[in-house]
Amino acid sequence: MKYILVTGGVISGIGKGIIASSLGTILKSCGLHVTAIKIDPYINIDAGTFSPYEHGEVFVLDDGGEVDLDLGNYERFLDIRLTRDNNLTTGKIYQSVINKERKGDYLGKTVQVVPHITDAIQEWVRKQARVSVDGDSAEPQVCVIEVCWTVNVIFFFFFFFFPICSQPNTTGEQKTKPTQNSVRELRGLGLSPDLIMCRCSTPLETAVKEKISMFCHVEPSQVICVRDVSSVYRVPLLLEEQGVMNFFCQRLNLPVDVKPRKMLSKWKEMADRSDRLLERVSIALVGKYTKLSDAYTSVIKALEHSALAINHKLEVKYIDSEDLEPSTQQVEPVKYHEAWQKLCSAQGVLVPGGFGVRGTEGKILAINWARKQNKPFLGVCLGMQLAVCEFARNVLGWEDANSTEFNPEPQHPVVIDMPEHNSGQLGGTMRLGQRRTIFNSTSSVLRKLYGGVEYVDERHRHRFEVNRELKHHFEKKGFQFVGQDVKGERMEVIELDDHCYFVGVQYHPEFTSRPIKPSPPYLGLLLAAAGKLQSYLNKGCRLSPSTVISFATVPHFSELFFYYSHQL
């Protein structure tokens, strides 16, 4: 087993996760089995109760693990399936050590950071690094570890350091001092980087590269420029162009041909096609965390994947749902009218998941507008539940229809808490992870988009569900529940008759979307927004005349690439 350690320098948020994912992509393109682990300093056991504004979205895995959003990057880039143990936190380590102490493993010893905590970290990483993530039971050969803080973990590893090379607008000069200071701090902790990857807005100048080389005690070839590029698809290509794979092979003695296989050429084709897109498609994302795009990372990626599949450039119109509410019109009329202008000018509407009552009435207003105006709509998790509330209020005439999450005792509780949910407790009380949804209608649009399969397995994260006792009232009016859980008790998918595309899903399909395997609910939204859904369905859900995508039996990522036809 070979370990590659990636850590950052002066500031966070400059792309360590993308770099770690890109390194894994390069290694996988050479035929190696690759896994990834994220080490976070949080005292929390997991990311389940984090604020989206502080840490971005909570990414959910097949096993129900609520983890850091960077694990989503690993899965999307490498097309792998990780588990909750691939996200190691301080809380998990301390819990592991406490459990060992209770079992008597440290009998007669005083538990200390060194060696007990550091040994626990090493033991965890070594064990998890050997868990298969490709679905073929093959043990990984390389483990990429992203570390959010410096730790004294001693393996046989390859160490990447990822600082920022700032370039003030006032002078335009690339500054190396932050990098020098960061490396000096590392050396004081006994760590020497094998490669220094400098994040910069423009290509690294030769003189700057040589200066970093001299003051940081590495060869110039060990200073890698990670400049701004047109899309994240180009990052693996950028690293490979600078000989990263050759350095891997020499330093880690990897038993592979140093020339990457077709996988990277497919990434280049995809990146080139992304840069050439001319037609645009706009989607209004109506949510409550719109000030930070990281709060909806997987949603945005799923939209991008689908837009690329239909050869359109994506334009996301972020709308704070509170701005659509009448109360905003009274206090800030300009903001109110701007929000409605964005909504009305969009070609499709997306209401993603969320928690809490704030902004829900604005989301319901957006859903009402999409339904009445025959605009393509996709509701995810809470978005689906609010679509049920909107229909109940405005079509069934139940003016007080609501979720018990927001009103504990409405006359018409169309969305209710699940029996296993303990009201008032937020941690560890949700329905999480991969669950099966059974389609009960052959005419379902979403079923067709999934390739006509009888069921799908998607990831969930929710505490509330649609009240099945009331579903017959909806179906009489054309509001169909076309997907349910295996017991037929939970409503999983809704569709509205006589609408271009009005779909809601209780699960989170964005978590399993891939760059060249887009999520069907999102693909349907983009197709409908671009006016191509009906043509796509009439042709048997084909994206090219000769290729039919079956999402249920799609080949392995490294074996699959499509040139999507411009003519659907």
Side-chain angles (χ1 to χ4, degrees):
M1 172 62 67
K2 311 294 185 182
Y3 299 93
I4 297 175
L5 201 62
V6 180
T7 189
V10 181
I11 60 174
S12 62
I14 58 174
K16 289 194 306 296
I18 297 297
I19 288 297
S21 303
S22 299
L23 295 173
T25 301
I26 294 172
L27 290 161
K28 193 167 184 177
S29 72
C30 292
L32 291 167
H33 292 280
V34 183
T35 187
I37 294 176
K38 175 80 180 287
I39 302 180
D40 281 313
Y42 314 131
I43 299 297
N44 306 59
I45 298 298
D46 59 37
T49 55
F50 285 170
S51 165
Y53 274 141
E54 291 181 14
H55 299 282
E57 75 169 5
V58 175
F59 191 79
V60 178
L61 302 171
D62 283 349
D63 65 357
E66 297 175 285
V67 296
D68 187 89
L69 61 85
D70 276 322
L71 273 75
N73 288 325
Y74 306 156
E75 287 203 341
R76 284 186 288 269
F77 271 71
L78 302 175
D79 196 29
I80 55 180
R81 298 280 182 137
L82 301 173
T83 70
R84 66 179 75 228
D85 288 341
N86 287 86
N87 192 186
L88 177 56
T89 68
T90 299
K92 285 182 179 178
I93 285 298
Y94 275 76
Q95 184 184 56
S96 172
V97 171
I98 290 170
N99 290 339
K100 285 186 175 183
E101 184 181 29
R102 287 173 177 170
K103 289 193 302 181
D105 291 1
Y106 301 132
L107 191 63
K109 300 177 180 178
T110 300
V111 179
Q112 303 177 70
V113 173
V114 179
H116 302 107
I117 299 299
T118 52
D119 284 352
I121 295 173
Q122 293 181 64
E123 180 184 343
W124 187 298
V125 171
R126 286 196 178 104
K127 180 180 178 181
Q128 190 60 29
R130 299 187 183 279
V131 175
S132 175
V133 293
D134 283 323
D136 56 5
S137 301
E139 183 177 304
Q141 298 161 283
V142 181
C143 178
V144 179
I145 307 168
E146 181 187 349
V147 182
C148 282
W149 85 114
T150 304
V151 290
N152 291 319
V153 186
I154 308 302
F155 307 99
F156 172 49
F157 63 74
F158 188 100
F159 184 54
F160 273 89
F161 184 61
F162 190 49
I164 186 171
C165 187
S166 58
Q167 188 171 2
N169 292 331
T170 52
T171 63
E173 179 185 3
Q174 293 177 332
K175 299 293 185 180
T176 65
K177 191 61 71 176
T179 300
Q180 295 177 46
N181 291 339
S182 299
V183 172
R184 187 181 303 114
E185 288 286 327
L186 276 177
R187 291 187 180 281
L189 294 168
L191 294 171
S192 298
D194 293 285
L195 284 181
I196 298 175
M197 313 194 83
C198 295
R199 184 73 175 86
C200 46
S201 57
T202 58
L204 206 60
E205 298 170 7
T206 302
V208 173
K209 191 179 226 185
E210 291 175 347
K211 186 176 182 180
I212 293 173
S213 166
M214 179 174 61
F215 283 98
C216 296
H217 308 287
V218 294
E219 294 295 323
S221 60
Q222 292 171 264
V223 180
I224 306 298
C225 168
V226 185
R227 67 178 187 276
D228 289 351
V229 289
S230 57
S231 74
V232 294
Y233 306 129
R234 293 205 177 276
V235 179
L237 307 173
L238 178 66
L239 300 183
E240 173 55 25
E241 288 170 2
Q242 298 178 71
V244 168
M245 193 63 218
N246 290 329
F247 204 90
F248 276 159
C249 293
Q250 296 169 13
R251 178 69 175 84
L252 297 179
N253 193 28
L254 295 174
V256 294
D257 181 355
V258 296
K259 186 177 181 180
R261 299 179 184 177
K262 292 182 179 179
M263 185 176 169
L264 277 191
S265 66
K266 294 172 182 177
W267 275 76
K268 184 178 186 306
E269 291 166 352
M270 184 167 57
D272 289 344
R273 194 160 54 86
S274 176
D275 290 345
R276 290 195 299 264
L277 297 177
L278 298 176
E279 291 186 85
R280 290 182 174 272
V281 59
S282 61
I283 300 295
L285 193 158
V286 184
K288 59 190 291 187
Y289 310 117
T290 53
K291 293 178 182 177
L292 180 67
S293 61
D294 275 359
Y296 298 110
T297 295
S298 292
V299 169
I300 301 304
K301 295 301 179 186
L303 289 171
E304 289 176 351
H305 301 162
S306 295
L308 182 61
I310 66 170
N311 288 300
H312 279 63
K313 188 177 289 292
L314 175 68
E315 179 186 359
V316 178
K317 297 176 180 285
Y318 294 95
I319 302 174
D320 188 325
S321 55
E322 282 189 294
D323 293 345
L324 298 172
E325 297 175 359
S327 57
T328 302
Q329 184 179 18
Q330 301 298 321
V331 180
E332 296 182 86
V334 174
K335 182 180 289 187
Y336 172 83
H337 289 293
E338 286 177 348
W340 275 101
Q341 192 278 330
K342 282 184 183 180
L343 181 66
C344 295
S345 63
Q347 295 167 269
V349 179
L350 170 65
V351 177
F355 297 94
V357 68
R358 182 175 66 83
T360 54
E361 293 302 319
K363 294 176 183 179
I364 288 175
L365 289 169
I367 295 168
N368 174 262
W369 181 84
R371 180 178 60 81
K372 287 185 173 180
Q373 299 298 320
N374 197 32
K375 284 286 184 178
F377 165 77
L378 174 62
V380 175
C381 197
L382 178 62
M384 168 186 152
Q385 296 172 4
L386 293 179
V388 172
C389 294
E390 187 280 326
F391 194 86
R393 292 180 184 182
N394 299 302
V395 179
L396 300 184
W398 301 344
E399 294 182 1
D400 74 327
N402 213 331
S403 166
T404 56
E405 180 180 5
F406 316 128
N407 181 358
E409 296 181 355
Q411 186 177 348
H412 295 94
V414 294
V415 177
I416 58 176
D417 56 319
M418 295 182 292
E420 61 268 40
H421 167 51
N422 299 315
S423 183
Q425 298 181 15
L426 299 182
T429 57
M430 288 192 284
R431 183 171 178 246
L432 292 165
Q434 188 180 82
R435 310 283 177 136
R436 180 157 292 181
T437 294
I438 310 293
F439 287 109
N440 55 30
S441 170
T442 55
S443 61
S444 163
V445 171
L446 195 57
R447 180 174 182 173
K448 293 175 182 178
L449 289 168
Y450 273 104
V453 297
E454 295 182 358
Y455 62 84
V456 292
D457 295 316
E458 294 279 10
R459 299 174 183 179
H460 293 67
R461 185 178 185 247
H462 64 108
R463 292 191 185 93
F464 295 82
E465 62 179 344
V466 174
N467 188 347
R468 66 178 181 273
E469 301 296 330
L470 302 176
K471 76 168 190 171
H472 63 282
H473 295 285
F474 290 85
E475 293 181 330
K476 286 179 183 178
K477 296 290 187 177
F479 193 94
Q480 307 298 336
F481 295 93
V482 299
Q484 301 173 2
D485 72 342
V486 292
K487 294 182 179 180
E489 297 176 349
R490 292 199 163 106
M491 305 301 104
E492 294 280 355
V493 182
I494 61 104
E495 292 181 8
L496 184 61
D497 292 344
D498 302 321
H499 195 282
C500 67
Y501 189 80
F502 193 97
V503 172
V505 292
Q506 184 59 72
Y507 50 82
H508 289 266
E510 63 269 18
F511 291 145
T512 53
S513 183
R514 301 290 184 263
I516 50 181
K517 191 172 61 177
S519 166
Y522 285 89
L523 180 62
L525 176 66
L526 269 295
L527 284 166
K532 297 182 178 182
L533 177 60
Q534 198 56 51
S535 172
Y536 176 77
L537 295 174
N538 292 341
K539 292 181 179 180
C541 296
R542 297 183 181 184
L543 285 173
S544 70
S546 60
T547 306
V548 178
I549 291 185
S550 172
F551 290 95
T553 57
V554 70
H556 192 272
F557 184 103
S558 60
E559 300 169 359
L560 172 66
F561 185 81
F562 292 100
Y563 259 117
Y564 295 109
S565 170
H566 285 275
Q567 300 297 322
L568 296 177

